[in-house]
Amino acid sequence: MLFVALALFAHLGPCNAATTCPDYAMYARDWEREPISTGRYQLSWQRPSEECRTFVSDVVDSLVQNISSEIYDPDLARLWTNTFPNTLDTTIKWLGLATNSTDEIAFVVTGDIHAMWLRDSANQMLSYSSLLKDDPYGIAMLFRGVIGLQSRYILESPYCNSFQPPVESGLAPTENSANDGDFVKPPVNDSKVFECKYELDSLAAFLRISNVYYNATNDYAFFGSFANGSWPKVVEAVVATAKAMMTPTYGEDGFVLDSPYMFDRYSRNPTETLSNGGVGEPVANGTGLIRSAFRPSDDSTMFQFNIPSNMMFATQLAANVDLMAELESKNAAPVGLAQEMKDLATTVRDGIEKHGVVELVHGNGTEKIYAYEIDGFGSWSLMDDANIPSLLSAPLLGYLDKNDATYQRTRARILSSSNPYFMRGPRINAVGGPHIGPGMAWPMASIVRIMTTDDDDEIYTTLKELLSTTNNFGLMHESVSSFFRENFTRYWFAWANGLFGEMILDLHNRKPEMLKRSFQ
């Protein structure tokens, strides 16, 4: 217990309790903080001073320095230096032990909103997954803390996506004025839940961070013993929630079935609520797919069978089967849960391939591509959204190989004017989405584009666009106008920053010659 507490104290930035550290929301707005990078884009230095960083990892700092020395372009080196450690520098708002326990819990915020999203916090950690073995009392501890706190959140509110600080932190809940008057079924406690938009990918994110941590560390003891064996209970709750959300709109006799989840909000923006009094658009029976009321963007779905979310869920559920089987064999998990997980993953995957692939007339023939959303009645949405999981990110999710023929056809359509949310212009060409709206391209999608191709020209062009549209700030924005780079949302977006850093590591391993090029 004492050793764990000392490890926690050693890595937490002193700024957790300090009042002299600047608010990073304002700090990130300085586009001329010295030392300025020496390239044409003159990027600002954006790392807080060490005493103001929310978590300190010598392993990460060493990697940042080593990789930076191998990057030829001074602006690209600066962008890597600013972005990769950004989650640790700015978003670890609390790390400690659960009450009456030695279990670590970590409250990781998305950035400028002091709430913890299941999806964002998992992805923010996944940027550091390659360092899990090298930093067992730093990065690995953070992974355990995120898994531990997410476990608590899911057990308490499995349909919710975003949460308030744990009571142990002493941090006050963050007010969310948008949810005043929300009708949510099942009801939630606003002192614990920041927002309760049911998103299938949020549950998949928990499965993914669990699987990545286990594969990297083989830390069976953590999953078999923490919180009195609650990890299998959480997975059991995830499976139960997913199965409940396979409920169709109508029974065999046409009677309208009771929906396990409803969300109704008074809003001028239709993507902030669900149609039909909070149930959403009807879905058919027998598809084998799981409904998702909201997309990874937090926007409501058009058709509730969101294909990328189902892809991610099926893949990550299957990835945890062997661990659950091992826990079962040692009486640390409910008997039969591993088989239930395997069967559900197979059902969902079969549903995607049977119902999520659509055939389009193309020239003198036809071609098959993945739809973004379907309803099972024959309607589909042919588009993609920048937020992960997306169709573009399917290989990164582990669902398929990037050379898969159906994926390649889908990818070509996504990255063209055939996708209503592919933003084209002289500054940046990338997928966007309804969350910000037409004309606004998301750097996150450009990063995914780079990570899902072996084409050197595509990588170079896309990376140069990213480098040239930070507007001297040297951080990844949420979105940028494809015509006017000065028009952007969010000065910094921690998940996108981490993903950019992850992409540089990927290029370092896969395309090292790319980091030797100039992007001036």
Side-chain angles (χ1 to χ4, degrees), residues 5-319:
L6 289 173
L8 291 168
F9 180 78
H11 288 83
L12 280 173
C15 192
N16 281 297
T19 58
T20 56
C21 294
D23 181 351
Y24 195 79
M26 299 304 298
Y27 185 90
R29 297 179 182 224
D30 190 340
W31 54 272
E32 50 185 0
R33 182 181 299 104
E34 296 182 347
I36 302 295
S37 66
T38 58
R40 66 177 291 193
Y41 299 115
Q42 299 185 331
L43 303 185
S44 176
W45 175 264
Q46 292 289 11
R47 295 199 69 184
S49 58
E50 186 167 336
E51 67 271 13
C52 287
R53 296 171 189 170
T54 57
F55 191 88
V56 177
S57 168
D58 293 338
V59 173
V60 169
D61 288 342
S62 177
L63 181 64
V64 168
Q65 184 174 359
N66 291 340
I67 297 295
S68 181
S69 68
E70 297 182 32
I71 299 175
Y72 174 77
D73 189 286
D75 293 325
L76 184 60
R78 171 58 53 82
L79 192 53
W80 150 260
T81 300
N82 285 343
T83 57
F84 185 63
N86 187 253
T87 283
L88 303 186
D89 287 352
T90 67
T91 68
I92 314 301
K93 291 304 179 183
W94 189 82
L95 174 64
L97 302 178
T99 302
N100 300 322
S101 173
T102 59
D103 298 329
E104 298 124 328
I105 52 175
F107 182 64
V108 181
V109 301
T110 185
D112 52 358
I113 302 175
H114 286 189
M116 181 166 163
W117 269 255
L118 298 180
R119 171 185 55 254
D120 291 54
S121 59
N123 281 287
Q124 286 165 246
M125 286 298 100
L126 289 171
S127 296
Y128 307 114
S129 57
S130 62
L131 302 176
L132 274 164
K133 289 183 179 179
D134 300 327
D135 199 6
Y137 302 113
I139 297 300
M141 179 172 57
L142 271 181
F143 268 73
R144 292 191 299 271
V146 168
I147 294 169
L149 189 53
Q150 286 195 1
S151 296
R152 177 189 296 184
Y153 289 151
I154 292 171
L155 284 175
E156 291 179 346
S157 304
Y159 289 94
C160 298
N161 63 321
S162 179
F163 296 86
Q164 300 284 8
V167 64
E168 292 93 337
S169 70
L171 299 173
T174 298
E175 182 181 355
N176 184 4
S177 58
N179 65 7
D180 288 345
D182 284 358
F183 168 74
V184 182
K185 173 191 173 183
V188 298
N189 183 340
D190 288 342
S191 68
K192 296 182 177 181
V193 173
F194 180 78
E195 190 166 58
C196 195
K197 291 180 173 178
Y198 162 68
E199 301 160 348
L200 179 60
D201 73 280
S202 292
L203 299 178
F206 169 78
L207 295 173
R208 188 181 185 196
I209 190 174
S210 297
N211 174 58
V212 167
Y213 176 79
Y214 180 68
N215 283 340
T217 65
N218 200 32
D219 187 0
Y220 168 80
F222 170 68
F223 293 96
S225 62
F226 91 93
N228 299 315
S230 69
W231 187 79
K233 295 177 185 176
V234 182
V235 176
E236 197 171 28
V238 167
V239 170
T241 303
K243 284 190 168 184
M245 291 306 291
M246 298 173 86
T247 303
T249 303
Y250 307 105
E252 293 294 335
D253 59 356
F255 187 78
V256 178
L257 301 177
D258 185 48
S259 176
Y261 171 83
M262 296 174 65
F263 184 96
D264 194 12
R265 168 177 291 177
Y266 291 104
S267 175
R268 295 176 61 186
N269 190 340
T271 63
E272 284 296 302
T273 190
L274 297 179
S275 61
N276 292 316
V279 175
E281 291 298 305
V283 292
N285 193 10
T287 63
L289 298 173
I290 304 166
R291 291 161 52 192
S292 188
F294 290 87
R295 296 171 175 170
S297 59
D298 293 346
D299 295 334
S300 57
T301 49
M302 179 183 297
F303 305 119
Q304 292 194 57
F305 293 137
N306 182 273
I307 299 302
S309 296
N310 274 269
M311 285 176 167
M312 183 179 181
F313 186 85
T315 302
Q316 296 308 317
L317 191 64

Side-chain angles (χ1 to χ4, degrees), residues 196-519:
C196 195
K197 291 180 173 178
Y198 162 68
E199 301 160 348
L200 179 60
D201 73 280
S202 292
L203 299 178
F206 169 78
L207 295 173
R208 188 181 185 196
I209 190 174
S210 297
N211 174 58
V212 167
Y213 176 79
Y214 180 68
N215 283 340
T217 65
N218 200 32
D219 187 0
Y220 168 80
F222 170 68
F223 293 96
S225 62
F226 91 93
N228 299 315
S230 69
W231 187 79
K233 295 177 185 176
V234 182
V235 176
E236 197 171 28
V238 167
V239 170
T241 303
K243 284 190 168 184
M245 291 306 291
M246 298 173 86
T247 303
T249 303
Y250 307 105
E252 293 294 335
D253 59 356
F255 187 78
V256 178
L257 301 177
D258 185 48
S259 176
Y261 171 83
M262 296 174 65
F263 184 96
D264 194 12
R265 168 177 291 177
Y266 291 104
S267 175
R268 295 176 61 186
N269 190 340
T271 63
E272 284 296 302
T273 190
L274 297 179
S275 61
N276 292 316
V279 175
E281 291 298 305
V283 292
N285 193 10
T287 63
L289 298 173
I290 304 166
R291 291 161 52 192
S292 188
F294 290 87
R295 296 171 175 170
S297 59
D298 293 346
D299 295 334
S300 57
T301 49
M302 179 183 297
F303 305 119
Q304 292 194 57
F305 293 137
N306 182 273
I307 299 302
S309 296
N310 274 269
M311 285 176 167
M312 183 179 181
F313 186 85
T315 302
Q316 296 308 317
L317 191 64
N320 283 283
V321 167
D322 288 346
L323 172 56
M324 191 63 73
E326 185 176 356
L327 291 169
E328 281 187 42
S329 70
K330 297 180 180 178
N331 298 317
V335 175
L337 181 54
Q339 187 62 49
E340 186 179 7
M341 293 164 61
K342 184 177 181 180
D343 291 344
L344 179 56
T346 300
T347 296
V348 174
R349 180 175 279 272
D350 289 347
I352 293 169
E353 296 304 316
K354 183 177 181 180
H355 301 281
V357 178
V358 300
E359 191 168 6
L360 303 177
V361 175
H362 182 73
N364 295 324
T366 61
E367 65 175 11
K368 292 183 177 180
I369 65 169
Y370 288 105
Y372 183 69
E373 288 171 353
I374 68 168
D375 62 2
F377 291 111
S379 297
W380 59 71
S381 174
L382 298 184
M383 57 165 282
D384 202 20
D385 190 287
N387 287 267
I388 304 172
S390 59
L391 292 175
L392 187 63
S393 69
L396 301 184
L397 304 176
Y399 181 78
L400 44 65
D401 186 86
K402 64 185 175 185
N403 296 313
D404 177 87
T406 306
Y407 171 74
Q408 281 297 321
R409 288 190 295 270
T410 306
R411 188 179 194 275
R413 185 181 181 90
I414 288 168
L415 300 174
S416 76
S417 59
S418 294
N419 174 11
Y421 287 101
F422 182 69
M423 311 308 174
R424 297 168 292 148
R427 296 302 184 186
I428 185 170
N429 296 268
V431 179
H435 194 69
I436 302 299
M440 301 299 287
W442 286 54
M444 178 181 289
S446 292
I447 296 168
V448 171
R449 182 175 186 173
I450 290 170
M451 296 178 76
T452 54
T453 185
D454 290 321
D455 186 307
D456 286 356
D457 290 339
E458 183 179 12
I459 292 172
Y460 179 83
T461 300
T462 307
L463 188 50
K464 188 170 183 177
E465 288 180 350
L466 284 170
L467 191 61
S468 66
T469 52
T470 78
N471 302 288
N472 302 102
F473 292 100
L475 292 169
M476 288 292 104
H477 300 306
E478 177 186 47
S479 69
V480 180
S481 166
S482 59
F483 277 81
F484 309 103
R485 66 179 185 177
E486 299 82 7
N487 182 12
F488 60 87
T489 60
R490 284 186 166 172
Y491 286 86
W492 105 101
F493 186 17
W495 177 11
N497 283 319
L499 190 65
F500 182 89
E502 188 178 349
M503 178 266 292
I504 292 294
L505 289 180
D506 174 62
L507 291 178
H508 181 262
N509 295 327
R510 185 169 60 94
K511 297 273 188 180
E513 68 281 357
M514 195 61 62
L515 302 186
K516 304 298 183 184
R517 299 182 66 173
S518 170
F519 295 87

